[in-house]
Amino acid sequence: MPSGPTSSSTRTAENTGAARFVPEGAGWAALRSAAAKCQGCELYRDASQTVFGEGPVRSSRLMMVGEMPGDREDAEGHVFVGPAGRLLDKALADAGLDRSGLYLTNAVKHFRFTERGKRRIHQQPRRSEVVACFPWLREEIRVVKPRLVVCLGAVAAKALLGPSFKLTEHRGEVLEHDGLRIGVTVHPSAVLRAESYRKAYAAFVKDLKAYA
């Protein structure tokens, strides 16, 4: 069971974060319901809704953790349904993985953005927001009991492995931490932004194949 970060600032953030909204020992449905009312950080004020994880509970051998919901996820209430989600679906298929058999979630459950005209532009969550939201991720792991957790991107990796973790030094590896087996690779949005899409996509699929 991951204990999460242990610094004094982290403990303070968790005490004022999501922890007080988490029903102790609850099942997945109760957790999802409770998360919908979470006010553990200020992101709930502007986001449309909480976007909780999805996938088969108790039968998912593999859990994938992203950063946070994007614009489409915030609007629809489902994980990985925007452009990055569509790329992830394609990469999973090319890696021989069936999305319907995986549990997908994010380190942060609310969308953080800045408005630019009518557009909502994604903003990376603050470390304090990642820490505040960590109790939900911890409980998802407890309920799903995956054999392997794959972190998609640095935000997710640092949520589980600590703020000093460097994804570039451990990409593609499987690490043991707090009783979990954790793999790390890039977020699919990074592939979309890559200067050489073909090269970045091939490397992403290679990582997923290794974790498959």
Side-chain angles (χ1 to χ4, degrees), residues 151-169:
C151 296
L152 302 173
V155 169
K158 290 178 180 182
L160 285 171
L161 294 163
S164 64
F165 181 80
K166 297 185 185 302
L167 186 151
T168 53
E169 294 179 4

Side-chain angles (χ1 to χ4, degrees), residues 35 38 43 47 49-53 65 67-69 74 79 103-111 129 133-138 140:
C38 185
L43 293 183
Q49 58 192 312
T50 303
V51 182
F52 207 64
V65 183
E67 177 185 276
M68 71 173 185
D74 178 68
V79 292
Y103 188 89
L104 302 178
T105 192
N106 284 298
V108 175
K109 312 303 188 197
H110 284 115
F111 181 33
E129 292 157 352
C133 207
F134 182 77
W136 295 118
L137 178 58
R138 181 186 63 216
E140 286 178 291

Side-chain angles (χ1 to χ4, degrees), residues 116-194:
R116 189 174 300 165
K118 295 183 178 180
R119 298 177 61 203
R120 300 190 303 173
I121 308 301
H122 161 277
Q123 296 287 297
Q124 182 172 300
R126 300 180 181 93
R127 177 65 186 172
S128 61
E129 292 157 352
V130 174
V131 171
C133 207
F134 182 77
W136 295 118
L137 178 58
R138 181 186 63 216
E139 291 303 293
E140 286 178 291
I141 293 172
R142 176 185 64 81
V143 171
V144 176
K145 293 181 172 60
R147 294 189 182 182
L148 179 68
V149 178
V150 175
C151 296
L152 302 173
V155 169
K158 290 178 180 182
L160 285 171
L161 294 163
S164 64
F165 181 80
K166 297 185 185 302
L167 186 151
T168 53
E169 294 179 4
H170 299 281
R171 179 177 176 176
E173 297 179 9
V174 175
L175 309 168
E176 303 281 345
H177 182 77
D178 278 348
L180 292 175
R181 298 177 70 245
I182 301 173
V184 290
T185 184
V186 297
H187 193 280
S189 63
V191 178
L192 290 173
R193 297 191 303 267

Side-chain angles (χ1 to χ4, degrees), residues 59-110:
S59 63
S60 292
R61 299 174 62 187
L62 183 63
M63 174 188 281
M64 292 193 163
V65 183
E67 177 185 276
M68 71 173 185
D71 181 71
R72 292 314 311 157
E73 289 81 7
D74 178 68
E76 298 181 25
H78 298 289
V79 292
F80 289 102
V81 293
R86 291 192 292 274
L87 183 140
L88 178 61
D89 287 346
K90 182 177 185 297
L92 288 172
D94 287 344
L97 287 164
D98 181 359
R99 172 170 170 155
S100 66
L102 310 179
Y103 188 89
L104 302 178
T105 192
N106 284 298
V108 175
K109 312 303 188 197
H110 284 115

Side-chain angles (χ1 to χ4, degrees), residues 15 24 42 46 119 156:
N15 288 338
E24 185 176 354
E42 293 187 356
D46 297 321
R119 298 177 61 203

